[in-house]
Amino acid sequence: MELPRRIRGDELLAPGAMIKMRARMRTHALAHDLTSVIAYAFDHRTRVLPFIYADMQIAPAGVRAMGSILAEAGFTKTRIVMQQWNRNFDPEKMRLDGRVPDIFMVSSMHLHASECDRLIQQACKIDPDKRPLIIAGGPRINYEPWQVFSADPDHPWGADVAVTGEEYILLSMLDILLSMRAKNESMRSVFIRARDSGALDGMPGLVYSRSSTPEGPIEELVDTGIQRLLGNLDELPEPVHGYRLLEPPSRAATLGSHALADNQVSKHTKISTFLMTSGCKFRCSYCPIPAYNQSQYRTKSGKRIADEIGQIAETFGIRVFFGADDNFFNSTERTVEIAEALARKAATGRPYSEVRMGTEVTVHDTLRMREHLPLIRKAGIGALWIGVEDLTATLIKKAQDKDKTLEAFRLLRENGILPMPMMMHHDSQPLVTWKSNYGLINQVRALRKAGATSMQVLMLTPAPGSKWYEGTYTSGMAFKKVGDREVEPHITDGNYVVASQHPRPWIKQLNLLAAYTYFYNPLRFLFTLFVSKTNIPHINTDPRTEEEIENASWLMNGAVRVALKTVTHFLDAGIQVWGMAGLFNTYRRTASWVLKLYGGKIERFDQAPISEIPMRGVKGQRALHALPGQELSTFGPVPDAKPREVAEVVQSS
Ligand code: B12
Ligand code: SF4
């Protein structure tokens, strides 16, 4: 099921609402000395191609966004802990400023669910009178908030509240809590008072639990509805604040005395993900993004993006950026405005001219943007990840086919941009076909010939919040257990065959390995040393300004040219080495799954997993985040809620 859309015209927050809310928080920060820890759940078993290495080099934008919004408001006693770097972190042992934090937040994707739950369970072991307010959020929770509440009456753990939305939802909830908080009252205690008085019910974007006894089994989940989205992303605080809150990498279970120093940040995180645009006009049935964005396309201005990049580059020395865009070329006007601002800055020299960016686009929009591609390159964009999915468009049609895809690749390369295809393998696609481009290897071959230097092939897997999600379960396609192995969240990342009607699904798993091996292998590596696909014009430009080049000696200019040419030439070989190393890990992790699929009995789902705890909306109606078939809660009377409309709170300030 896709997330329902709010009533037309009511999808977005009022312009300026975020700015006002940030001002309110600054007043609260003067009166409340809060400490918060934000953890990014990461399951190390997910370290396989195509994301291996990038996963460690990126401090995720979601947790940094939460940190930025708190720190910028004045709540600077905030720490971001990433399990990538701090795998032994134990919330039960965390102390910040010498005390148990007032708020503990966890952010998680679906595939990191086991670690997300473990973090929450550990936090729940803290004595109830000292326990922080536990808040869960992030992509997993946006679609399936019920997952962070235990249905087991003998082991009742859970977040206090699941936030099914973005920064504004967190701030508005904290605004309500801090307005009600008595002197020295714990954040959890005020949360419980607010919850029980119905004060949170007017704020869409939350799911909270209720029980008849304190710390007793959870009896119902209350869903306050679908969030209103922030339309103008310029209203967000700058991401620089979040980077100043990172816990340094360590093996300790506790927190260090200081966050990572500015000059240490780029040593650990070489790639910065950052928000430029959000949303996509296509509606691919396997993708939850358009519904999450309620069919809205939201952007930052070019000037703001250029300023953010400059701040991050200058403060932390990071030069590689990856846009968290769903489809950066979605709107010509917005893309050109952003690219013009970045290109203007790049012409001013370092650090802008050294910045290299990548992001995601579609084939269709790349062709539409053909005349603007020189500008896109001047803006610093050197690689674009393209959802090719299936060259023959058998799986999904989003206005693309083989000719269009290859044409888009040609255009990008002519303009010095590396095309990075993202493909999807499915039941009806064979490994190889004769005289057609339907086979997986045929397609990988065609894309490599067209200039692909990296390759991503994922198996079609049910994505929560997408149109096809329930159908994959009700049709019996989704596996529950294979042999004695359950389908755990960490193998639902598209790298494992966990949904298939193929009579021999192990073949599909081998196909994925074969496609990667065809692309990343020692022979190809050797070949790239002589014929390199990254050897294209404009790819590695001189970061110096015209004036600097003129004033430099001929020897210096010659040396720079040779260095740039060498890097350009051997980049392809470097990507091959990275791919082969990643492939080794992928074989190591997925080989046992091939054997399970080969010899094990496959148990299938007949219904999508729903919440075992009954759910309801604030007035007793169906919960908007619940899946079809969800039991409606009838636990106790619906409180005579007096919801405080967030708009009211803002206006009264
Ligand atoms: C960049 C990106 C990547 C990068 C970097 C990931 C990272 N760790 O940062 C790379 C390439 C490594 C990557 C890999 C994968 N990704 Co990815 N990725 C993205 C992308 C495009 C942008 C993420 C981002 O930075 N967004 C910007 C930030 C600000 O948004 P956000 O993280 O959602 O956070 C906001 C809210 O969620 C919320 N929030 C977040 N945390 C918290 C915490 C609290 C307490 C609260 C209150 C709120 C809150 O507020 C934030 C601010 O608005 C998103 C799609 C998207 N547009 O978001 C997919 C996305 C996150 N990826 C996804 C997936 C599935 C994957 C992969 C499994 C690959 C795949 N099969 O597609 C791998 C996993 C690799 C791994 N081992 O972890 C899914 C996750 C779906 C889910 N339900 O969990 C997404 C949502 C795309 C989709 N299909 O819908 N990804
Ligand atoms: S083009 Fe990409 S982001 Fe847009 S709906 Fe399709 S898969 Fe999702």
Side-chain angles (χ1 to χ4, degrees):
M1 188 195 80
E2 292 188 303
L3 287 179
R5 185 173 172 172
R6 290 185 64 85
I7 297 169
R8 305 253 155 169
D10 188 31
E11 298 95 342
L12 299 177
L13 294 164
M18 175 61 111
I19 303 282
K20 284 185 193 156
M21 184 56 80
R22 283 168 55 193
R24 280 183 67 81
M25 291 310 285
R26 278 194 281 275
T27 342
H28 287 309
L30 298 175
H32 301 269
D33 174 31
L34 293 186
T35 49
S36 325
V37 170
I38 313 168
Y40 181 77
F42 187 86
D43 191 324
H44 282 256
R45 291 171 296 180
T46 63
R47 303 212 55 221
V48 291
L49 275 181
F51 306 109
I52 192 161
Y53 309 125
D55 50 9
M56 286 293 176
Q57 291 294 334
I58 292 173
V63 274
R64 284 190 289 108
M66 292 302 127
S68 290
I69 202 100
L70 290 177
E72 190 267 350
F75 295 107
T76 48
K77 291 179 188 167
T78 301
R79 190 69 59 82
I80 296 172
V81 190
M82 294 155 47
Q83 278 194 306
Q84 292 95 312
W85 300 352
N86 305 81
R87 58 195 296 175
N88 299 328
F89 169 63
D90 179 352
E92 206 185 344
K93 301 200 172 103
M94 66 187 164
R95 298 287 180 278
L96 196 60
D97 200 31
R99 54 190 160 126
V100 176
D102 300 286
I103 304 175
F104 176 58
M105 295 184 239
V106 186
S107 173
S108 182
M109 283 196 216
H110 179 72
L111 79 161
H112 301 302
S114 312
E115 284 304 310
C116 172
D117 293 352
R118 188 174 67 79
L119 290 169
I120 296 174
Q121 287 170 33
Q122 284 175 331
C124 285
K125 285 190 199 154
I126 301 172
D127 283 348
D129 57 327
K130 293 207 186 76
R131 190 183 305 170
L133 170 66
I134 305 175
I135 308 174
R140 175 190 186 207
I141 286 81
N142 291 340
Y143 301 107
E144 301 186 317
W146 64 85
Q147 291 205 354
V148 288
F149 300 93
S150 159
D152 181 355
D154 300 324
H155 184 30
W157 60 271
D160 292 302
V161 58
V163 172
T164 56
E166 304 175 352
E167 292 91 336
Y168 188 81
I169 311 301
L170 177 74
L171 284 196
S172 344
M173 179 179 76
L174 293 180
D175 179 36
I176 295 173
L177 300 186
L178 294 175
S179 314
M180 293 173 67
R181 189 180 183 218
K183 198 158 185 265
N184 295 330
E185 185 180 15
S186 81
M187 285 303 284
R188 185 155 181 263
S189 153
V190 63
F191 169 80
I192 292 169
R193 281 199 299 116
R195 178 195 71 186
D196 293 345
S197 68
L200 301 174
D201 290 357
M203 213 191 83
L206 304 177
V207 171
Y208 61 76
S209 62
R210 288 178 70 225
S211 323
S212 8
T213 47
E215 320 306 331
I218 298 172
E219 280 152 279
E220 73 164 358
L221 296 178
V222 180
D223 181 352
T224 65
I226 301 292
Q227 66 169 329
R228 281 190 193 88
L229 299 161
L230 176 66
N232 177 3
L233 301 178
D234 281 1
E235 290 187 27
L236 289 168
E238 290 82 5
V240 74
H241 304 286
Y243 273 115
R244 295 213 153 108
L245 308 173
L246 299 176
E247 172 70 15
S250 94
R251 292 181 185 277
T254 52
L255 298 177
S257 52
H258 293 98
L260 204 58
D262 284 3
N263 61 5
Q264 291 295 301
V265 169
S266 69
K267 192 173 145 204
H268 300 286
T269 165
K270 302 235 171 333
I271 309 169
S272 173
T273 44
F274 74 120
L275 194 59
M276 296 196 281
T277 69
S278 187
C280 171
K281 61 177 172 266
F282 293 99
R283 287 199 83 93
C284 304
S285 305
Y286 53 79
C287 174
I289 286 167
Y292 170 81
N293 283 285
Q294 300 181 47
S295 300
Q296 306 295 309
Y297 185 59
R298 307 178 282 149
T299 66
K300 281 183 186 163
S301 64
K303 179 181 176 316
R304 169 60 187 261
I305 292 168
D307 287 350
E308 283 184 9
I309 289 181
Q311 277 175 11
I312 293 174
E314 269 163 17
T315 319
F316 308 111
I318 298 177
R319 295 289 186 270
V320 183
F321 290 79
F322 188 79
D325 308 284
D326 301 311
N327 178 9
F328 182 59
F329 288 168
N330 197 62
S331 143
T332 310
E333 191 197 339
R334 301 302 298 131
T335 313
V336 168
E337 194 264 331
I338 294 170
E340 277 173 348
L342 291 172
R344 269 197 302 276
K345 283 284 187 182
T348 63
R350 295 188 186 92
Y352 289 98
S353 56
E354 289 173 337
V355 164
R356 289 293 171 269
M357 285 165 58
T359 184
E360 292 187 24
V361 295
T362 58
V363 168
H364 173 80
D365 293 316
T366 304
L367 294 176
R368 213 194 64 243
M369 292 286 293
R370 65 175 71 213
E371 64 184 281
H372 302 293
L373 293 178
L375 172 69
I376 298 294
R377 181 64 197 88
K378 279 189 192 142
I381 294 182
L384 286 172
W385 274 257
I386 307 188
V388 169
E389 327 301 10
D390 170 6
L391 266 186
T392 57
T394 312
L395 173 68
I396 194 95
K397 290 186 180 51
K398 46 184 183 189
Q400 65 192 58
D401 58 25
K402 182 190 156 213
D403 293 342
K404 286 181 182 164
T405 306
L406 300 188
E407 168 74 350
F409 272 47
R410 186 185 63 76
L411 287 168
L412 288 174
R413 287 175 60 81
E414 268 176 23
N415 286 287
I417 302 171
L418 294 174
M420 306 295 205
M422 302 188 287
M423 306 188 59
M424 224 174 241
H425 186 40
H426 51 98
D427 274 357
S428 53
Q429 185 181 38
L431 182 63
V432 185
T433 47
W434 303 113
K435 295 190 181 166
S436 90
N437 249 322
Y438 192 39
L440 179 60
I441 296 282
N442 305 59
Q443 300 201 0
V444 174
R445 184 164 177 267
L447 292 170
R448 173 69 193 177
K449 256 179 97 179
T453 47
S454 82
M455 173 66 58
Q456 165 176 332
V457 190
L458 297 176
M459 184 72 193
L460 190 60
T461 303
S466 66
K467 229 182 269 169
W468 278 353
Y469 185 64
E470 280 89 58
T472 323
Y473 286 91
T474 49
S475 63
M477 197 173 169
F479 304 166
K480 193 175 193 176
K481 207 171 171 188
V482 180
D484 56 357
R485 196 166 160 195
E486 300 265 348
V487 173
E488 289 178 78
H490 74 91
I491 63 166
T492 59
D493 60 352
N495 287 302
Y496 297 78
V497 178
V498 296
S500 167
Q501 300 282 22
H502 196 279
R504 292 178 299 281
W506 54 274
I507 290 186
K508 297 275 116 191
Q509 190 70 51
L510 286 178
N511 287 356
L512 293 179
L513 287 172
Y516 278 123
T517 313
Y518 176 83
F519 198 85
Y520 299 114
N521 60 64
L523 267 184
R524 197 181 295 285
F525 163 72
L526 287 176
F527 192 69
T528 57
L529 293 176
F530 304 99
V531 185
S532 163
K533 289 274 184 203
T534 47
N535 224 342
I536 53 174
H538 319 296
I539 182 171
N540 221 349
T541 47
D542 194 329
R544 296 171 302 165
T545 56
E546 298 274 319
E547 203 185 336
E548 281 172 320
I549 297 172
E550 259 171 43
N551 293 339
S553 66
W554 66 267
L555 194 66
M556 173 56 106
N557 285 339
V560 170
R561 262 198 304 276
V562 171
L564 289 173
K565 266 198 159 315
T566 311
V567 171
T568 304
H569 184 85
F570 290 110
L571 182 60
D572 199 10
I575 300 175
Q576 282 292 319
V577 173
W578 162 82
M580 286 186 286
L583 187 54
F584 176 75
N585 232 23
T586 310
Y587 269 102
R588 198 170 64 83
R589 292 216 179 266
T590 59
S592 64
W593 190 245
V594 179
L595 295 177
K596 286 278 171 227
L597 291 170
Y598 179 74
K601 184 173 167 284
I602 298 181
E603 248 178 75
R604 294 166 188 270
F605 281 100
D606 55 13
Q607 193 203 9
I610 53 173
S611 166
E612 288 173 42
I613 309 168
M615 292 179 76
R616 66 170 171 87
V618 287
K619 296 205 170 85
Q621 76 280 33
R622 195 182 82 80
L624 289 177
H625 286 87
L627 292 179
Q630 176 64 54
E631 187 188 340
L632 187 68
S633 166
T634 50
F635 163 73
V638 175
D640 181 16
K642 294 199 176 40
R644 286 175 61 160
E645 265 298 338
V646 177
E648 238 174 71
V649 176
V650 174
Q651 273 159 21
S652 67
S653 63

